[in-house]
Amino acid sequence: MADAEYETSPEAMNDGEQSAYWPEADEFVAEHYGLAGEVLPVDIDPPRFFIRYEEVTCRLDFGEEQQLFERFKIEHELLHRLRGETGRIGAPEPLAAQQGADLISLDGSLAEGDQAFARLFAFPPGEPMPDLAELSDLEIGRIGTFAAQLSRDLVAISDLEGHATQTSQLIVDQDLRQVGPQVVHCLRNLTEPAVRDPIARATVTALRQVQPLGEQLRVQLIHHRPIGDNLVGLPGEAGWVPTGFTSPELLGSGWVVASLAGVCAEILQRGTGGALSVLPAIKAFHAELPLTEAELTALWPLVVATVARERAQHELASKDVSASPKLQESRTGFEKTADVEPGVMHAAILQAVEWPLPETAEFLPLLPELDLQDLRLVDLSATSPLFVDGNWNDPEIDWRLLARIAWETKMGATRFGEYRLSRGSADADARNVALHIDICLPAGATVAAPFGGTVKQTSGPLILSGKDATLYLEGVETVLAEGTMLFAGDRLGSVGGPEGSVGGLRIRLARSPDVDPPLFCSGNELGLWKRLVLSPSMVLGLNVDAPDVAGEGYVRGWNEYLFDSFGHRRIDLTGSAGILGYGHGVLAEAAYRQWLTLGGTVGTSLEAEYQAALLQDMPGHLDTVLALTDETQAMEIARQLADKLFDDPDAVLIADERQSGFWRNGKNAWSFQTAEQTPDIVITGSPVPQERLAAVIISRSVLPDGLELPQPDATAVACRMGLAVLDALDDAALRREASNAADLLWTRLEELSNRNPALIGIEGSGLDLRLKLSGLDATEVANLLQGLGVLVSPPTASDAISVVAPLTLSEGAVAEFVEALAACLPAVESGQDEQARDLEPQDKPDPQFKSERERM
């Protein structure tokens, strides 16, 4: 097990200066402790050293001030108690000198505090904490748990008889109760306004938030920075686990929440995430040692104050080369705190610890003159019947549909909390959840204050800021001046627009004036924002909330895309989208019209029509459709038929067109059309997904008399849809676009294969491909692709994945898929692209129809 890391002062390491007043460290520990090992200085005056022997790291401290002597005595007693009475926290162990004392004078006698003295303590066993950038949320949470456990154990040992007074004497420079004066001291010596002013503003704002809470914050013995270089732990399969601390000088009286604030500050300064990256530590700390509402409210301001103080200190010391890395870390942490609104961060903290939502007041009607029972709500969700033919891609579609809904009654509204399809994307963090509503109303309708408050006029919305809520309105005409005080029920203005027309309002309702809520948030942020915003239903007296999304299954398809209830998009390359893709209008109309006349009956004349249409693109000798069934059974029928009919020595050629047919190969209706020989039997797939329209086709001339054919399986609706697909395939423009997409797909995959050796081959043609992998498990790659928004069929081989796309595959989807696949392959080392792979570019194979010369 490795020893704890240590930080060595460049001054001490570079020039080796040390006052002659202090003894040589190696000689001192050898004489008084009987130890020998590697000695490394940490700083000077008074000096401090790391002593490493065998697998133990110790720290040697020298001192001469009475106050420091008294502090060492209290620290040692606390450390002995912490190690002996709780046992779960690894703590530094004060080592006794050969004379038996753990605080000795420089001559080795018992120190009295009025002379130079020394102490030696051993770090608890364990390995240093890894770089914060390398830690997972789980590991960061463990640090929060450790900090809480340490706080709990420290208060337990300090509350013992006679110790409460002693621990209150432990003063630490990092005590956040002194952060204001400390920052002021630094700012007096910072003359550059661009540096000084942001630090001053952040500190003042934070302390104003903390000051009213001061008496409610618990005070006890804490560790002020239980993270980073101050911890040791043990690695494991599930990551690093903190087990002990190494810095007794950071034990001191302070606010309980200050220990957690120190953890959060370090995460912001040295981690790679934004402000929300501290939430796992906060959640874990609270689970172990519950914080009060006042402490949760003070936490983020204390984090901001901590980061501001440390930036001020490092800016002041920036002339010192050794301060440069710390300065950059402190600037990074400071920028992260500035990038998030304090109110948003407070809500995120409350959401992380599952704090109950506050009760809300009752409000008066915003539109007192209107009967909103006739208000119609427009459905803009992924299941809305108003979305057809991809019209949700129109940037103005939400407004257009709202206007259509409001046409009859002149009143319509969007829904609050709705996952809008029009704003969804492949990104799970797409901001498509509405935190507002747009409402169409008769122009001139009175708009009243639902609660008392102050009017604020901005270049954007009209704002009414009250004690219990803040209302944001757009579309209101008003004569009220900035700062006007209103009572609940007073007139705010009227709905804008010419008399007799329909006007529009945009309504947002927030709990606090400190947060200007966005129009939309992501689904992952919805819980947080529901702590900050209120539903406009509360001022309308009518429920305008969208229903909760139930389940995560797919609810809509369009061309090559699938959409779930949250509006998240996936590219479907499993073949399930069929030939024409999802949601094709031709298929929808064909199915609808057929259902109006005849539905699921089997054995209608439509079956014969479909068979005849299917044979039109076949060679003349292939003139008989033996069966219409599912694709698996069709292949089995073909094999059995070949076995029965072709029992002579000749081979039988079976063309399997289940994936490559119907122009999916990119060049022809059937892949075998480019081969030198025509097949004896052809198996087609179903042009309509999940329908039993797969066909077995053969020449009637080879059929013996009395052959029993399978019973028909295809329904009237299925046959009508199949006919519609065959008609659609006559569109030269559709076939041309599919061919272009196929060429682009091949080109992009070939480029990827040429620069990444993990993709070693491309088999197939057109939009029916098999991708051969090297050194990768195909199932794992398929799972990674799904996480990146691309669906492929479950691999049947360990080294290949299949891609089966509809003819409607777009260039954008091709680019998304290839980029996602590249992200699933091992990273290519820098310069490898330039290294010759000594491989000729792969030639496209002959059109693949999985034909086989089989002797049956």
Side-chain angles (χ1 to χ4, degrees):
M1 186 182 304
D3 299 318
E5 271 189 313
Y6 45 82
E7 186 174 313
T8 303
S9 166
E11 296 93 332
M13 292 297 293
N14 294 338
D15 54 35
E17 293 181 7
Q18 180 182 327
S19 170
Y21 181 80
W22 304 105
E24 293 293 332
D26 53 352
E27 297 177 359
F28 184 83
V29 295
E31 178 182 357
H32 299 291
Y33 292 91
L35 298 177
E38 183 183 12
V39 178
L40 292 169
V42 180
D43 51 29
I44 57 175
D45 198 25
R48 178 180 293 176
F49 301 88
F50 284 112
I51 313 294
R52 305 189 69 180
Y53 68 95
E54 298 177 353
E55 294 186 358
V56 179
T57 298
C58 299
R59 201 178 82 193
L60 174 66
D61 296 342
F62 289 113
E64 58 182 341
E65 295 180 359
Q66 179 68 27
Q67 186 177 2
L68 182 60
F69 179 79
E70 295 298 329
R71 178 182 176 89
F72 281 0
K73 287 175 60 178
I74 299 174
E75 281 183 8
H76 286 196
E77 188 167 354
L78 290 173
L79 292 175
H80 286 307
R81 287 184 175 274
L82 190 61
R83 293 173 56 85
E85 298 192 15
T86 63
R88 66 175 173 181
I89 296 293
E93 180 183 6
L95 299 181
Q98 292 177 339
Q99 293 83 351
D102 55 20
L103 274 173
I104 61 173
S105 64
L106 296 192
D107 61 8
S109 63
L110 181 64
E112 297 297 337
D114 57 353
Q115 55 188 319
F117 53 87
R119 72 161 175 186
L120 184 70
F121 63 83
F123 290 164
E127 294 190 4
M129 191 185 94
D131 191 300
L132 269 164
E134 302 173 2
L135 296 185
S136 65
D137 286 352
L138 175 63
E139 292 168 304
I140 289 175
R142 288 175 181 153
I143 296 172
T145 298
F146 176 86
Q149 291 174 340
L150 179 55
S151 294
R152 178 182 293 166
D153 287 358
L154 287 173
V155 74
I157 62 169
S158 62
D159 282 346
L160 296 175
E161 183 178 359
H163 287 277
T165 302
Q166 284 187 327
T167 56
S168 66
Q169 299 173 4
L170 294 180
I171 307 301
V172 177
D173 288 342
Q174 297 193 28
D175 189 348
L176 284 176
R177 294 174 295 179
Q178 305 300 321
V179 68
Q182 291 171 341
V183 173
V184 169
H185 172 75
C186 293
L187 295 182
R188 286 173 180 165
N189 297 288
L190 288 175
T191 58
E192 187 177 348
V195 174
R196 180 190 62 220
D197 294 351
I199 298 173
R201 284 194 298 269
T203 305
V204 169
T205 301
L207 294 184
R208 282 177 178 172
Q209 294 171 315
V210 174
Q211 187 176 12
L213 304 169
E215 294 183 358
Q216 303 175 56
L217 305 181
R218 291 173 291 176
V219 176
Q220 68 163 67
L221 175 65
I222 65 170
H223 190 293
H224 288 262
R225 196 78 163 209
I227 190 173
D229 297 336
N230 302 317
L231 294 187
V232 292
L234 297 175
E237 293 184 0
W240 186 80
V241 180
T243 57
F245 70 96
T246 63
S247 44
E249 67 276 7
L250 291 177
L251 294 176
S253 179
W255 288 319
V256 172
V257 70
S259 182
L260 179 56
V263 169
C264 294
E266 185 97 0
I267 293 172
L268 293 176
Q269 291 170 343
R270 302 179 69 177
T272 57
L276 297 181
S277 63
V278 303
L279 295 181
I282 295 172
K283 181 178 181 179
F285 187 102
H286 181 76
E288 182 71 22
L289 180 59
L291 297 168
T292 66
E293 185 173 8
E295 289 168 336
L296 290 169
T297 302
L299 175 56
W300 184 247
L302 289 175
V303 173
V304 173
T306 302
V307 173
R309 176 185 62 190
E310 294 179 10
R311 182 183 175 187
Q313 291 171 340
H314 291 302
E315 293 284 359
L316 194 60
S318 60
K319 293 181 180 180
D320 183 353
V321 176
S322 66
S324 295
K326 292 291 187 181
L327 174 60
Q328 187 55 50
E329 289 178 358
S330 66
R331 287 176 175 174
T332 298
F334 188 85
E335 290 171 0
K336 291 177 182 178
T337 63
D339 285 343
V340 61
E341 292 184 26
V344 173
M345 200 63 209
H346 178 52
I349 291 170
L350 295 180
Q351 179 69 12
V353 302
E354 300 179 358
W355 198 261
L357 284 170
E359 295 184 0
T360 54
E362 293 186 1
F363 303 128
L364 295 182
L366 177 70
L367 303 162
E369 297 178 353
L370 296 179
D371 181 2
L372 296 181
Q373 298 307 312
D374 292 333
L375 181 73
R376 298 179 62 187
L377 300 179
V378 60
D379 183 356
L380 300 175
S381 71
T383 57
S384 173
L386 301 176
F387 287 132
V388 291
D389 294 337
N391 63 346
W392 56 87
N393 293 312
D394 178 355
E396 301 296 324
I397 190 61
D398 291 356
W399 275 109
R400 295 179 191 278
L401 295 179
L402 173 59
R404 184 193 305 175
I405 285 291
W407 178 258
E408 293 181 5
T409 65
K410 294 187 178 181
M411 290 194 296
T414 61
R415 301 188 295 187
F416 174 77
E418 182 172 56
Y419 289 83
R420 292 197 188 175
L421 177 62
S422 59
R423 298 182 62 90
S425 71
D427 186 356
D429 289 324
R431 301 177 69 84
N432 68 326
V433 185
L435 297 178
H436 72 287
I437 68 162
D438 293 314
I439 183 168
C440 291
L441 299 165
T446 295
V447 179
F451 48 82
T454 304
V455 173
K456 297 180 180 179
Q457 288 278 11
T458 69
S459 58
L462 172 68
I463 302 173
L464 178 64
S465 180
K467 175 179 177 292
D468 298 312
T470 299
L471 177 66
Y472 299 82
L473 294 174
E474 297 176 55
V476 175
E477 293 181 350
T478 184
V479 296
L480 298 178
E482 172 81 12
T484 301
M485 302 288 293
L486 296 180
F487 291 103
D490 287 351
R491 180 183 174 88
L492 264 173
S494 61
V495 177
E499 184 178 354
S501 68
V502 175
L505 293 183
R506 173 165 284 176
I507 306 173
R508 288 177 291 155
L509 192 61
R511 293 182 185 271
S512 167
D514 298 329
V515 177
D516 183 2
L519 296 177
F520 296 91
C521 72
S522 70
N524 293 332
E525 299 170 336
L526 183 57
L528 181 160
W529 278 107
K530 282 194 172 181
R531 291 184 173 273
L532 295 167
V533 301
L534 297 170
S535 169
S537 300
M538 300 186 66
V539 296
L540 294 175
L542 182 74
N543 185 7
V544 293
D545 293 3
D548 293 336
V549 173
E552 299 182 357
Y554 297 111
V555 297
R556 179 182 290 273
W558 173 246
N559 292 340
E560 69 272 43
Y561 292 108
L562 283 171
F563 300 85
D564 63 18
S565 299
F566 303 98
H568 300 153
R569 187 184 71 205
R570 300 288 184 269
I571 302 173
D572 187 354
L573 301 180
T574 67
S576 298
I579 299 299
L580 298 183
Y582 292 108
H584 200 286
V586 167
L587 272 72
E589 182 178 1
Y592 170 72
R593 292 187 177 278
Q594 184 58 46
W595 268 111
L596 291 178
T597 56
L598 187 64
T601 303
V602 173
T604 67
S605 61
L606 287 172
E607 183 178 347
E609 289 184 40
Y610 174 71
Q611 292 181 10
L614 193 60
L615 292 173
Q616 286 183 356
D617 291 327
M618 292 288 169
H621 72 285
L622 295 172
D623 55 8
T624 301
V625 178
L626 291 185
L628 293 178
T629 182
D630 65 67
E631 296 184 1
T632 301
Q633 187 176 1
M635 189 65 187
E636 183 59 30
I637 290 173
R639 291 183 183 277
Q640 293 178 7
L641 183 63
D643 187 43
K644 292 178 181 179
L645 297 182
F646 299 92
D647 53 0
D648 55 66
D650 294 331
V652 177
L653 185 62
I654 300 176
D656 181 2
E657 299 279 359
R658 290 176 296 176
Q659 301 289 6
S660 57
F662 298 112
W663 297 94
R664 189 178 265 141
N665 62 79
K667 300 299 179 185
N668 304 93
W670 312 108
S671 292
F672 66 75
Q673 290 175 323
T674 58
E676 296 179 356
Q677 295 176 291
T678 57
D680 302 301
I681 300 174
V682 175
I683 307 103
T684 73
S686 172
V688 183
Q690 313 305 320
E691 294 292 348
R692 300 172 71 83
L693 292 179
V696 180
I697 301 175
I698 196 170
S699 172
R700 180 172 294 277
S701 64
V702 301
L703 294 178
D705 294 335
L707 180 66
E708 293 186 7
L709 298 177
Q711 293 297 314
D713 283 336
T715 66
V717 172
C719 290
R720 179 65 71 188
M721 294 174 70
L723 285 165
V725 173
L726 297 181
D727 287 342
L729 293 179
D730 289 336
D731 184 353
L734 171 67
R735 300 199 304 267
R736 182 171 57 253
E737 290 174 2
S739 179
N740 292 340
D743 289 343
L744 177 64
L745 177 62
W746 183 280
T747 299
R748 293 292 303 274
L749 287 172
E750 191 173 49
E751 291 172 352
L752 178 59
S753 177
N754 287 337
R755 69 174 185 265
N756 196 312
L759 178 60
I760 60 173
I762 310 168
E763 299 176 352
S765 64
L767 302 174
D768 172 33
L769 303 176
R770 260 74 55 204
L771 310 181
K772 301 289 289 183
L773 305 173
S774 174
L776 298 173
D777 181 77
T779 299
E780 291 182 4
V781 173
N783 292 336
L784 290 173
L785 283 171
Q786 182 172 349
L788 295 173
V790 179
L791 305 176
V792 296
S793 298
T796 57
S798 63
D799 62 346
I801 58 175
S802 296
V803 172
V804 183
L807 303 189
T808 53
L809 183 70
S810 64
E811 292 185 4
V814 170
E816 287 183 48
F817 163 59
V818 177
E819 289 172 7
L821 179 61
C824 298
L825 304 181
V828 178
E829 294 182 4
S830 177
Q832 185 169 335
D833 287 354
E834 289 75 24
Q835 295 175 0
R837 295 181 63 189
D838 296 325
L839 294 175
E840 293 295 328
Q842 299 180 33
D843 293 328
K844 295 184 182 180
D846 290 335
Q848 175 77 15
F849 57 93
K850 201 179 178 181
S851 62
E852 50 186 83
R853 268 288 200 219
E854 296 181 349
R855 190 169 301 278
M856 310 296 289

